[in-house]
Amino acid sequence: MNLLQVAKTFATEDMALAYWIMTRWPKGVRCLGCDNPKVWAITTKGKTGRKCHLFECAECGLHFSATTGTLFHDSHLPLTKWFAAIALMVESKKGISANQVARHIGCSYKTAWYLCHRIRNAMSETDEPKLGGPGVVVEIDETFIGGKKFRKGVKAGKDAKITVLGMAERGGRTYLKTIENTKALSIRPILDARLDPNTERVVTDSHATYTYTIPPEKHETTSHKQELRDDGFITGTRTIESAFSLFKRGIIGSYHKMSRDHIDSYLSEFSWRFDRRHLQPQLFDLALHNLAERKPLTFKRLTQQIF
Ligand SMILES: [Zn+2]
């Protein structure tokens, strides 16, 4: 669903709520307290006098709403605006800034910022399997982000840059993560944690860390040039390079600058979308499903990461 379809499908709050209930409880609403499937839908008036849809458990009498215990809970924003924000985020290939979201859905920058982070959190994969495996070729490379404007001088500029390690399966998933520097101590733990040891081939540049970490019979070093070798193998790291370049264009075009503290969550948002680039029509539903499964991210927890 794109933004226009989302706006049409969820023209009213009740329509959005019905869709959310279906997403959260595909087999029917169950009590959040005792998991009993027998619940009554009731309508009350909230504190502000607005109509409030609740459920009452027939067993334990618990009152809960469709958003209780989810990311939407305690949000003053209507679901229709949440849905529009999700559509905007899953649709924009290079990412979208909180400022743009604020303008589109009509809310304050602060609200949009919080909203975007919560959606971004839901888009990140927590227990993704390792990259690679039998028959899969993985490309690994590093890149540098930003830095130019922070200080003066080449050395200082390089110090201010953020280093990102990227791994990409050819025709598959990606993994991007900030690293302290390009030394073995920074790169090795990520390879150990994220690269399947049964991967068919691993293509990297001639960085010494890779030579020590990856078994020579699986390792291909490349000079970044893409060519078809006589044995049928394509050299180069074009897959990961194109992910890097799309991400960088996103920074320039959408975010302008992004906080160093949050860059990993931007990277995982980007990977999430990049890995599903061929599933565009389903992205909205996929994101909504993730939101249904995630624990709420409080403002306190979010800002704790900064201060
Ligand atoms: Zn109950």
Side-chain angles (χ1 to χ4, degrees):
M1 266 195 270
N2 59 31
L3 184 60
L4 207 70
Q5 288 163 322
V6 166
K8 264 192 201 161
T9 316
F10 310 117
T12 67
E13 193 59 12
D14 283 351
M15 285 156 99
L17 187 68
Y19 198 78
W20 172 247
I21 292 170
M22 244 167 54
T23 306
R24 188 174 185 190
W25 293 287
K27 292 178 190 151
V29 182
R30 299 183 87 95
C31 171
L32 293 179
C34 67
D35 203 34
N36 167 45
K38 207 167 175 193
V39 294
W40 315 114
I42 53 172
T43 312
T44 58
K45 268 195 176 167
K47 283 177 206 155
T48 51
R50 263 195 317 182
K51 204 169 59 167
C52 208
H53 295 285
L54 292 176
F55 295 108
E56 185 184 287
C57 174
E59 281 292 323
C60 71
L62 181 78
H63 281 191
F64 59 96
S65 80
T67 57
T68 305
T70 71
L71 292 165
F72 305 129
H73 195 57
D74 281 340
S75 160
H76 302 296
L77 276 186
L79 278 179
T80 44
K81 293 207 175 189
W82 269 98
F83 282 15
I86 296 167
L88 283 166
M89 283 182 79
V90 299
E91 229 185 283
S92 51
K93 259 204 227 162
K94 290 180 280 182
I96 186 161
S97 70
N99 245 326
Q100 283 167 284
V101 171
R103 270 201 306 274
H104 275 291
I105 69 170
C107 66
S108 72
Y109 171 77
K110 195 182 165 189
T111 303
W113 184 86
Y114 182 34
L115 199 72
C116 290
H117 266 293
R118 290 205 273 188
I119 298 169
R120 188 167 292 125
N121 180 56
M123 282 160 85
S124 66
E125 300 289 333
T126 43
D127 41 12
E128 269 279 271
K130 291 182 177 186
L131 258 67
V136 181
V137 178
V138 172
E139 300 174 8
I140 306 176
D141 201 5
E142 317 93 49
T143 194
F144 302 95
I145 294 171
K148 273 178 207 158
K149 289 173 192 165
F150 296 121
R151 290 174 226 161
K152 287 173 185 167
V154 176
K155 166 96 177 51
K158 206 172 175 187
D159 288 346
K161 277 180 188 291
I162 297 164
T163 313
V164 173
L165 182 77
M167 301 165 61
E169 296 172 345
R170 284 190 181 166
R173 297 168 301 142
T174 53
Y175 179 72
L176 306 173
K177 177 106 181 86
T178 55
I179 48 174
E180 198 67 36
N181 49 48
T182 56
K183 289 180 183 156
L185 263 177
S186 301
I187 294 179
R188 234 190 137 136
I190 298 180
L191 298 192
D192 289 343
R194 304 295 314 178
L195 183 66
D196 187 328
N198 300 313
T199 300
E200 193 79 21
R201 300 258 190 113
V202 183
V203 190
T204 72
D205 56 22
S206 53
H207 200 296
T209 302
Y210 302 124
T211 320
Y212 294 131
T213 317
I214 302 159
E217 68 276 12
K218 290 176 184 268
H219 192 201
E220 297 276 349
T221 49
T222 176
S223 56
H224 295 277
K225 217 169 128 196
Q226 174 124 353
E227 44 189 36
L228 180 64
R229 249 182 5 210
D230 291 343
D231 63 359
F233 188 77
I234 299 165
T235 63
T237 45
R238 184 174 281 184
T239 317
I240 189 63
E241 282 164 33
S242 64
F244 281 156
S245 89
L246 193 62
F247 182 72
K248 286 182 182 180
R249 273 185 281 149
I251 300 174
I252 297 162
S254 313
Y255 301 111
H256 307 292
K257 58 175 197 263
M258 54 174 74
S259 158
R260 191 179 268 261
D261 307 281
H262 289 293
I263 199 143
D264 274 322
S265 68
Y266 286 102
L267 286 168
S268 55
E269 173 202 340
F270 174 83
S271 290
W272 188 90
R273 213 171 24 230
F274 189 79
D275 294 353
R276 290 161 185 78
R277 58 198 178 279
H278 308 301
L279 299 168
Q280 195 62 39
Q282 293 103 291
L283 281 189
F284 176 82
D285 282 330
L286 283 172
L288 211 59
H289 272 286
N290 280 11
L291 278 161
E293 280 160 14
R294 285 296 158 91
K295 284 253 157 2
L297 183 67
T298 62
F299 196 74
K300 200 174 158 199
R301 224 177 86 207
L302 195 61
T303 43
Q304 257 171 5
Q305 294 164 7
I306 314 175
F307 302 114

